[in-house]
Amino acid sequence: MSCQDTPARQDMRSGSPTLTAEQGEPFKEAAADGFALGGFTWRQFLPDSQRPVVIINAATSVRCRHYSRFAAYLFANGFDVMTYDYRGIGESRSASIKGLNASWTDWGALDFEAMLKRAQREFPGQPIDVVGHSFGGCAAGLGESGRVIRRLVTVGAQFAYWRDYAPEHRWRMFGKWHVVMPLLTLICGYFPGKRLGWLEDSPTGVVRDWSTPAARYEQRPSGRALMKKTGALPFANVRAQTLAISISDDPYGTIPAIERLLDYLSNATKTHLRIEPQDINEQQVGHFAFFRSAYQATLWPIALTWLQTGTLAPDTPGRQVPRS
C-alpha cells in the first residue's frame, strides 16, 4: 500500500468540488486559528427567529456529504440546516494532510465552535440544535459556546474507549484502530484510511486521540492539553435537552460507551434510547446506517420529533435505558 496523500477530488473544469442535488449552498468559514472550514447550508426562503437551525456534526473522518439526505429531510420539515467537515476532511481539505497535527479537540473546540458562531451570525436569534454522529456527539460538548445549544440528538456517540467495544468485536477492533491505524500513521505521517476503505484519510492528532487506550477524555493527548490550558473541559456548558440514540448491533455504541459520554454532559437533561434492529423490522443497522435514506420512515422521525418537541413520540421504537 502506498502512503501517497491525495486531496479531495475536484471538478477539473471549475476547480471546485462536484456537488450533488441533495446538497445545500456551499460556504467557507474560518475557525478562530484561521483554518478554513467548508460546509453546506440549507436555508429557508424567509427568515424566522422562531425557526431552529440544526448543525450536523459528522463521525470521525466521515465526510459531511454522508449526511446530506438527512439534512435535506430536516430542511423539508422546516429547519435551517448546516453541515461541515472537520479540518483535514472533505470540504475542509484543500491540500495534503501529511503533517497536519489536528486533533479531536481541535475538531470540537475550534471547528464545531466556529459553526456555533456562524449559526449565531447567519441565523440571528434562532434556536440552535445539534445532531452528532459518533465522535460528533462528543464534539458537541467541546465548543465553548455549548450553552447556546437548545436540543441535541446523538447517534452512537462515544469517544472510542476500547473496553466499551462490543465483546464479540473488541479484539478485532482493538487491532484495527489501536495497533494498525497508529502504526500506519507513524509510517505515512497521516492515516491513509481512504486507500484501505477505512473512512477518510485522518490527521495524526486525531489518530493519537482515538488510539490512546484511556477511559477518560481528559486522558487523551488533546484532552490533556485542553485541561492544561483551560483547567476544565467545556462539556458542562451544554444544557440542552439531549437524546442519545444507540443501536444494539453497533459495536462502538454500546451502552457503557454511550453512558460514558453522557456522564460528561453533567448539566444537560438526558434520555438514552436503545433500539434493536428488530424494533424497526430490520436484521441489522450498525454504526453508520442511521443516516442512510433507507431509514427515513423508521429512524429519522425519532430525531425529527425530538428536535421539534424535545420529547419522544408514544410509538417510538426501542426502550429508554435507565440512568443512574
Side-chain angles (χ1 to χ4, degrees):
M1 186 204 72
S2 169
C3 287
Q4 182 180 355
D5 182 14
T6 54
R9 181 173 296 174
Q10 293 188 330
D11 184 336
M12 293 298 103
R13 294 168 299 177
S14 64
S16 60
T18 302
L19 305 182
T20 66
E22 291 82 12
Q23 289 175 322
E25 178 186 356
F27 69 80
K28 289 291 184 181
E29 180 74 21
D33 64 346
F35 197 100
L37 305 170
F40 300 92
T41 300
W42 286 255
R43 190 190 303 266
Q44 303 290 340
F45 182 69
L46 295 175
D48 182 351
S49 63
Q50 302 302 309
R51 181 175 59 243
V53 54
V54 180
I55 303 170
I56 300 178
N57 285 352
T60 295
S61 301
V62 175
R63 297 186 68 166
C64 69
R65 293 171 184 244
H66 177 69
Y67 307 92
S68 293
R69 290 184 176 87
F70 181 71
Y73 168 81
L74 295 180
F75 177 72
N77 279 279
F79 290 86
D80 294 311
V81 188
M82 292 167 47
T83 66
Y84 70 103
D85 280 312
Y86 307 120
R87 60 187 63 199
I89 307 297
E91 309 304 316
S92 301
R93 174 180 174 173
S94 58
S96 169
I97 64 168
K98 189 172 183 177
L100 175 65
N101 195 28
S103 67
W104 266 349
T105 298
D106 292 330
W107 283 1
L110 293 174
D111 300 352
F112 172 60
E113 175 67 11
M115 296 304 121
L116 286 176
K117 292 185 179 303
R118 178 180 178 84
Q120 293 175 80
R121 184 183 72 246
E122 294 290 311
F123 303 93
Q126 294 181 218
I128 297 174
D129 296 339
V130 175
V131 174
H133 179 207
S134 194
F135 169 75
C138 184
L142 291 170
E144 189 63 32
S145 301
R147 63 188 178 279
V148 306
I149 303 172
R150 181 190 66 152
R151 291 179 184 140
L152 170 63
V153 175
T154 69
V155 178
Q158 33 65 49
F159 52 88
Y161 176 47
W162 72 274
R163 289 186 182 275
D164 290 339
Y165 296 155
E168 64 271 28
H169 301 286
R170 184 174 297 152
W171 291 110
R172 177 184 61 80
M173 293 170 67
F174 185 89
K176 182 175 182 177
W177 301 120
H178 301 268
V179 178
V180 175
M181 181 171 67
L183 179 60
L184 286 177
T185 302
L186 181 64
I187 294 170
C188 296
Y190 73 105
F191 176 57
K194 199 165 186 178
R195 292 179 178 274
L196 295 169
W198 298 2
L199 311 176
E200 294 290 309
D201 298 341
S202 304
T204 56
V206 167
V207 173
R208 281 197 296 270
D209 281 335
W210 186 338
S211 60
T212 298
R216 303 288 299 174
Y217 190 82
E218 59 269 30
Q219 295 169 339
R220 304 297 171 102
S222 71
R224 288 198 303 269
L226 184 62
M227 285 289 290
K228 184 176 181 180
K229 179 180 179 181
T230 65
L233 298 177
F235 290 97
N237 292 343
V238 177
R239 301 175 181 273
Q241 294 174 299
T242 299
L243 173 64
I245 299 171
S246 64
I247 311 294
S248 65
D249 69 334
D250 176 357
Y252 300 92
T254 61
I255 290 176
I258 303 299
E259 291 293 314
R260 190 178 302 278
L261 177 58
L262 285 177
D263 285 343
Y264 277 91
L265 301 174
S266 56
N267 288 320
T269 58
K270 295 164 284 191
T271 298
H272 180 178
L273 179 68
R274 185 76 169 170
I275 300 173
E276 305 274 346
Q278 293 76 16
D279 294 334
I280 57 170
N281 298 314
E282 297 285 351
Q283 293 300 310
Q284 58 185 24
V285 176
H287 188 62
F288 293 101
F290 183 100
F291 295 95
R292 295 174 184 164
S293 55
Y295 297 99
Q296 179 170 334
T298 52
L299 294 177
W300 292 7
I302 301 171
L304 175 65
T305 299
W306 188 269
L307 294 172
Q308 290 172 329
T309 68
T311 62
L312 294 171
D315 59 349
T316 300
R319 64 179 179 87
Q320 292 188 40
V321 177
R323 307 206 68 253
S324 57

